[in-house]
Amino acid sequence: MEPDDWTAFRQRAQQTLDRALDRLEQAGTGRVWSPVPENVDAQLDRALVDAPLAADSVDAALASLLPYGVGNTHPRFLGWVHGSGTPFGLLPAIIEASINANCGGRDHVGLRVEHALTRWVAEQFRFPESASGLVVTGTSMATVVAMKVARDAALDFASREAGIDGSKLVAYTSAEAHACNARALDILGLGTSALRKIPVNDAFRMDLSALRAAIDQDRAAGLVPFAIIGTAGTVNTGAIDELDGVADVADEEGIWFHVDGAFAASGILSEVVAPRLRGIERAHSIAFDFHKWLHVNYDSGFVLVRDEVLHRRAFSTRPEYLKATERGLAAGNPWPVEYGPELSRGFRALKVWAHIAEFGPERLGAAISENCYLVRTLAALVDEAASFERLAPVETSICCFRYVVDGLSEAELDALNEEIVVRLQETGVAAPSTTKVKGKLAIRANITNHRTREADLHVLLDAIRDIAPQALERIRHV
Ligand SMILES: *Cc1c(COP(=O)(O)O)cnc(C)c1O
């Protein structure tokens, strides 16, 4: 499986590179999202049936996919929380594909890059130099890893051999926390019901007196509180829990303090967000993403653990065939496989390392601050327009609002705003998403996008005004 003709292969590679560059150069133009057309879809199965294809057919098929991503490289992609990537992500991707490194272990440059990155991350969050970490797919996986350490530490690691049958462990997070936290407890055998959802205050932050009360109640019932999960950047409104206060409770109770900082923990680099993260440096573990507000290409998340010894005890097993040595390829210990569930794993750390090397922490932080100003601008535009109503405070990257028409019921307003968002996506003009805020359906605009400009916000609001009459018409007829 090697090229017969390297000169011809170079030409193919250069043509593909040019097509990729063309797409990246045009990232700010055209439609945001385009549904996958039938002919593009149909060729996917056909290619596998007809394989092997001629070289130019393979290249053409690959190029035909370029316009049909989720749209997150476009400045008016404002849905969920997606990072927008940068053109520079192409460069480490090429190097990564050429090395084809397996970063589960052994002594090579892949592990050195990940080590350097881990020390850099620990420094940003003011964790000790001895802290351990792992580049993972995303915050969902980072949460599983962190919660496994917390669970096993609480059970004095007996759980690694004996399992958790009859464990009375319970954990706490806010009612606004991301579903990946409950999923982690499910995966770890504790069950989603072991995660207590604590109500939030008017700022959508976890109510700390309710947290204390829940812990007391569980202890009185003979249960064993083992972890509190604070959120830095809730998925609905972007709120940041009072992390210092959460850390106080965890300290008093002697239990693990984990932070889900999927997007807003990156705000540690921004002068606007960093002050709100006070207390994150006291966490036992942090899960966050490079692929969201830091714009490294998918997928790239990170789990940072304060106590390296606990982290390794929760995962390390070194059978004979993976034995550590002082010299040769089996040196370079400990290995990443001792900090997480994966043995074979790609060189994800490279694109993150290259991204930081390219831009530096100040510029990355400034891009986050700029997004915060843009979200506040959007909130101000919403507040001054009679046809819009804001539904939640703006703290980080998210503005929740709705289009209002006098005389409609709450149910009709929900249906109207849902229809508006689908139409925005279908027309290709902008792509916010929706959520429910205190029972009301919100148009949810999240700006973790370095390509978004103020003009894009006006396009969004104007498009909503244009679309609203047709949307209203439609909901009245269904
Ligand atoms: C996105 C997100 C997650 C999940 O992260 P993935 O990288 O998608 O696995 C968890 N928590 C919050 C607050 C998020 O925004």
Side-chain angles (χ1 to χ4, degrees), residues 136-147:
V136 292
T137 46
T139 293
S140 301
M141 179 54 92
T143 306
V144 171
V145 171
M147 284 297 106

Side-chain angles (χ1 to χ4, degrees), residues 81 137-141 178 180-181 231-235 260-263 289 291-292:
V81 182
T137 46
T139 293
S140 301
M141 179 54 92
H178 193 276
C180 77
N181 296 295
T231 302
T234 61
V235 67
D260 173 354
F263 63 96
D289 286 321
H291 58 215
K292 286 180 175 170

Side-chain angles (χ1 to χ4, degrees), residues 102-381:
N102 179 349
C103 293
R106 293 154 286 267
D107 192 7
H108 60 98
V109 74
L111 271 60
R112 304 299 173 93
V113 170
E114 196 159 349
H115 260 135
L117 179 63
T118 300
R119 283 192 297 272
W120 183 87
V121 171
E123 200 183 313
Q124 305 311 311
F125 289 106
R126 292 195 279 139
F127 268 44
E129 217 183 303
S130 58
S132 48
L134 201 62
V135 181
V136 292
T137 46
T139 293
S140 301
M141 179 54 92
T143 306
V144 171
V145 171
M147 284 297 106
K148 164 115 165 69
V149 183
R151 182 198 79 176
D152 291 349
L155 298 172
D156 204 18
F157 298 91
S159 42
R160 290 206 61 193
E161 200 179 324
I164 49 144
D165 199 22
S167 128
K168 293 181 172 161
L169 298 184
V170 281
Y172 306 83
T173 194
S174 96
E176 292 285 305
H178 193 276
C180 77
N181 296 295
R183 197 140 49 107
L185 294 205
D186 168 13
I187 291 167
L188 292 170
L190 297 168
T192 56
S193 65
L195 186 63
R196 311 298 202 223
K197 300 288 186 65
I198 307 300
V200 294
N201 59 25
D202 286 344
F204 294 87
R205 299 175 189 146
M206 181 155 50
D207 178 336
L208 297 184
S209 45
L211 171 63
R212 283 198 170 88
I215 293 173
D216 287 347
Q217 198 182 350
D218 282 334
R219 285 209 198 276
L223 298 169
V224 182
F226 82 106
I228 307 175
I229 303 173
T231 302
T234 61
V235 67
N236 284 324
T237 72
I240 300 176
D241 282 339
E242 297 294 348
L243 299 177
D244 227 12
V246 179
D248 287 341
V249 178
D251 259 4
E252 286 158 25
E253 298 288 341
I255 59 184
W256 192 275
F257 170 35
H258 172 75
V259 175
D260 173 354
F263 63 96
S266 311
I268 201 75
L269 304 180
S270 148
E271 60 190 21
V272 178
V273 182
R276 282 287 313 126
L277 292 171
R278 203 162 60 87
I280 199 170
E281 71 287 349
R282 297 169 64 190
H284 293 89
S285 55
I286 304 174
F288 73 101
D289 286 321
F290 296 109
H291 58 215
K292 286 180 175 170
W293 224 351
L294 289 175
H295 311 303
V296 178
N297 271 357
Y298 284 88
D299 46 29
S300 51
F302 200 82
V303 56
L304 180 67
V305 179
R306 172 176 304 278
D307 189 328
E308 184 272 340
V309 175
L310 298 182
H311 190 177
R312 189 145 42 97
R313 276 185 79 188
F315 285 98
S316 185
T317 33
R318 293 291 289 258
E320 269 309 301
Y321 53 85
L322 293 176
K323 195 165 81 72
T325 60
E326 290 295 322
R327 292 166 44 227
L329 255 173
N333 293 282
W335 289 353
V337 66
E338 295 175 85
Y339 298 110
E342 296 172 332
L343 174 56
S344 292
R345 51 197 292 277
F347 195 178
R348 274 192 200 100
L350 182 64
K351 60 190 172 187
V352 184
W353 177 88
H355 187 78
I356 296 164
E358 183 79 39
F359 295 106
E362 269 181 38
R363 182 121 172 249
L364 295 172
I368 290 173
S369 301
E370 271 170 44
N371 280 172
C372 291
Y373 293 128
L374 272 183
V375 179
R376 287 173 198 182
T377 304
L378 177 60
L381 292 170

